[in-house]
Amino acid sequence: GTVTLSNTRGATVALRSSDTAAASVPATVVVPAGSSVATFQITTLKVKKAKTVTITATANTTSASAALTVKPR
């Protein structure tokens, strides 16, 4: 996944998955000062049927979410 900030001050961004049985993310990702972007790994797990998981990123009081569909392998 990718986190993009609207500035280059840097921040620690909290990450959350709505369904950790289908997809997990690290608790945080650091966007270094001087940059506005950081990437993080999303680990998908085995599911029996397709599931939509919401990944939420929060920095300070601002949050953004994206949907991810995890399909059976």
Side-chain angles (χ1 to χ4, degrees):
T2 303
V3 170
T4 304
L5 302 178
S6 61
N7 61 65
T8 57
R9 292 189 298 259
T12 298
V13 180
L15 302 172
R16 186 177 66 80
S17 168
S18 65
D19 187 347
T20 56
S24 64
V25 294
T28 60
V29 64
V30 175
V31 180
S35 178
S36 62
V37 178
T39 60
F40 59 94
Q41 184 168 342
I42 301 172
T43 303
T44 57
L45 304 167
K46 196 171 190 177
V47 294
K48 293 182 180 179
K49 62 179 184 172
K51 290 188 173 192
T52 300
V53 179
T54 301
I55 306 298
T56 303
T58 304
N60 299 318
T61 59
T62 303
S63 294
S65 298
L68 168 72
T69 302
V70 180
K71 297 180 179 180
R73 297 180 190 171

